[in-house]
Structure formats: C-alpha cells, structure tokens
Amino acid sequence: MRALFCLIPALLWAETASALPDGGFLLATPILDSQTTDPRYIHLQIDGTTITVTYASVKTPDVTTCRDTGYCDMLWDGLKLRYSEKDGTIKITDRNVTRDDKPSDANRKSGDPTADQKLYYEPLIRRMNGAKLTGDAAGGFTLTTDLGQTRFTPLPREGLPLLTAWVNETGADMDQLDYCDVPQFSQLYTFDAGRSFREALEVFAALQASEAAANRMGLMEPPDEASNRETLGSAFEARRPATILEMAMWRLTIEPETPLQDIIEDISRQIGTPESMAVVTPLIPALPAAAAYKAKLRAIRDAGTPLNAPLCMDMTLGLRQ
C-alpha cells in the first residue's frame, strides 16, 4: 500500500514536470571521464531553486592525503548551484564552492588548481545547463541536452553511506558497475524493500565508519615516539568495533550451531570495551543478514565469477526478505 501511495505523486510529476522537484536525487548516468577521474556517486539535494551537490567516493582519505591534497572527506557537499526554469528548460544561474577542502586529489595530482572544476563540476553543469526536463514514474527525472539524456533517481542523502559501504564490502569496480546499482538501490531504499539486505548494509556502514575514523588518524611528523604510540592506540580503538563485527560474522559462518548471543559474549570478553560494544550492540540483530551476504559474495568469488554481472542483475543477491 505504501508503494502505491508513493507512486501516485510520482505519476503526477511525470505528467506535469516543470521545475526540479524538491528532495534528494542520485545521478544514474555516467558523465565523468573514467580515464581522468576517480569514480564518484553524484547526489543532488534540491530545495527550491538551490541545489547542493555531493560527490561521494567509496574510500576515506587518510590523514596524509588530506594534508597533502586537501581531499579529506568521502562525502563532499561543497558545490552549490542555483537554477531557473522556463518552459521546461533548466538554466544554471549561479555556482559557488562552499568548502575549503577538495572533492578529490586531482588538483594536486595534475598540478592544475582548476582540475576539480574541469573534471567534476563542469561535466555535471554541462548536463544541466539548457537541459529539457522530464519527470518519470519512479519519482526521478531526466535532463536532455545535445550531450544526451542524464537520469536522476530518488535517494535521500542519508542513503549515500549505505551505498558506498555496499561498494566497499563487495569490492566491485564502480567504473565497471557503470551505475547499474543506482536504480536498484533507489527502489530498494525508497520503498523500504529488502529488509535483510538493508540490515546487512547497516552493518557494512558501521564497518566503513569505524575504518574511516581510524584512517583519519595519522602518525605525527616529524616523528615523535610517544605521540605516534598514542595515535596508533587511538586508531586501534576507532577500528575496534569493526574488528568485533568482522569476528562475529566470521564465527557465524564457521559455527552455525553456536547461538549468536554466545558468540557476541565470547568476543566481548576477549576484546570488547564499553565504548566499542555501544556501537556493536544495536547491530547484533543484523549480523546474520550481513554474514549471509558476505557468504554469498564469497561463493561468487570462489567460483571465479566476475562480480559485476550478478550484482547488476540483483545487488541484494537474493537477500530480499
């Protein structure tokens, strides 16, 4: 029933598209040059005539990358656009960079201070400026220019960490996926489908957050033994929840007869701390789904099958209950 009510405004939007709809939308058409850029998901948060653009990578820059290149955050939301619309045609009227850090390390790699603008901002702006707007029944929209059609599917921004965590866990190549995952993920997230899959993603997102927190810590320069020891200890603590979750999923796989709570209590006695268990405990009910998904991935790899084909067919790998 919920899906039906969601579709009604979407169908009306498809017939009456004028200005861009408010909400979150994820690019579903590859527009970046894979030869000169690192893969990114591109998300638009539309509020009236203002668009906040987020470039989402699947790896967290470490402290050295951040210091040397200014690329510090895997979810970079520093590009603001304003637009006008007339007769179904979009015109970008203003653009503004609102963050001091960078969406990539391209400026440093190329020695060109305008590299991010050329490689990441302009391809999007060219696809939007002067585009004819068409809504679709799925609640997204398509922009058409002489460069072709550029499709956006609905997705709240809070869904991005789940999607990047999925890519990290699968080890899939974003360039080879070619955004085949985007329409699938949009539908699963929008209609709250695939509950077991969503639970698995929550665990993977916690792994990603734990690793990201550790990656942001780095050794002191110039070297200082006491400070470095403290930093390494802090990084280990930041990674501890991920270590516990990984151990629990592995034991669920090799000890299917052992109750989950017994596994958690055993691991907690070995390496748990109050801080790490505060992260782990809410995720305990989701661990069987995450372990099952990892087992499916392992079976595909062990069979020597390239990952992209089965993931493009069904990114849940059947985990839809």
Side-chain angles (χ1 to χ4, degrees), residues 58-319:
V58 296
K59 298 296 181 185
T60 303
D62 59 27
V63 69
T64 302
T65 300
C66 177
R67 181 197 60 214
D68 292 347
T69 70
Y71 168 41
C72 304
D73 195 344
M74 67 185 297
L75 298 179
W76 188 87
D77 58 355
L79 180 61
K80 298 271 189 185
L81 305 175
R82 289 186 65 83
Y83 81 95
S84 63
E85 178 273 333
K86 183 177 181 181
D87 298 330
T89 299
I90 301 299
K91 180 181 180 181
I92 301 300
T93 58
D94 187 41
R95 68 189 76 177
N96 188 29
V97 175
T98 61
R99 291 178 54 158
D100 292 331
D101 61 339
K102 307 296 182 184
S104 78
D105 58 2
N107 289 1
R108 179 63 178 265
K109 277 183 177 179
S110 65
D112 179 357
T114 65
D116 282 326
Q117 176 179 330
K118 294 174 181 175
L119 298 177
Y120 293 94
Y121 311 160
E122 290 299 336
L124 174 64
I125 292 170
R126 284 196 299 269
R127 292 279 182 150
M128 300 184 72
N129 206 18
K132 285 290 186 180
L133 171 65
T134 307
D136 65 47
F141 58 89
T142 297
L143 300 177
T144 303
T145 67
D146 56 2
L147 295 173
Q149 292 188 328
T150 306
R151 184 185 174 201
F152 292 85
T153 63
L155 186 73
R157 189 181 185 278
E158 56 264 28
L160 277 177
L162 297 181
L163 182 57
T164 58
W166 172 79
V167 177
N168 272 328
E169 188 60 39
T170 63
D173 185 320
M174 274 186 66
D175 285 331
Q176 293 184 23
L177 287 173
D178 208 29
Y179 288 175
C180 73
D181 51 324
V182 171
Q184 292 187 68
F185 189 73
S186 170
Q187 185 176 40
L188 289 164
Y189 194 96
T190 301
F191 296 114
D192 200 22
R195 172 53 51 185
S196 296
F197 179 61
R198 178 72 168 267
E199 289 179 345
L201 294 188
E202 297 286 355
V203 175
F204 301 152
L207 296 177
Q208 178 175 259
S210 180
E211 293 292 340
N215 283 348
R216 292 190 185 100
M217 302 171 184
L219 300 182
M220 301 293 290
E221 290 189 6
D224 177 284
E225 184 176 350
S227 297
N228 286 348
R229 188 162 51 246
E230 181 179 348
T231 300
L232 288 171
S234 298
F236 180 83
E237 289 304 319
R239 194 174 282 114
R240 190 185 294 267
T243 302
I244 295 171
L245 292 168
E246 291 282 11
M247 288 178 64
M249 287 185 285
W250 176 245
R251 288 188 56 179
L252 277 172
T253 302
I254 63 174
E255 304 172 28
E257 73 288 347
T258 304
L260 173 58
Q261 193 58 42
D262 291 352
I263 291 174
I264 294 295
E265 290 176 1
D266 185 37
I267 296 172
S268 178
R269 281 192 297 268
Q270 294 178 50
I271 63 170
T273 63
E275 295 78 11
S276 61
M277 294 310 297
V279 176
V280 169
T281 299
L283 295 166
I284 291 173
L287 283 170
Y293 194 82
K294 287 173 74 74
K296 290 174 181 288
L297 286 172
R298 193 177 304 113
I300 294 172
R301 294 191 187 101
D302 290 348
T305 305
L307 276 171
N308 293 327
L311 292 177
C312 284
M313 183 176 298
D314 177 12
M315 68 188 300
T316 75
L317 298 180
L319 212 65

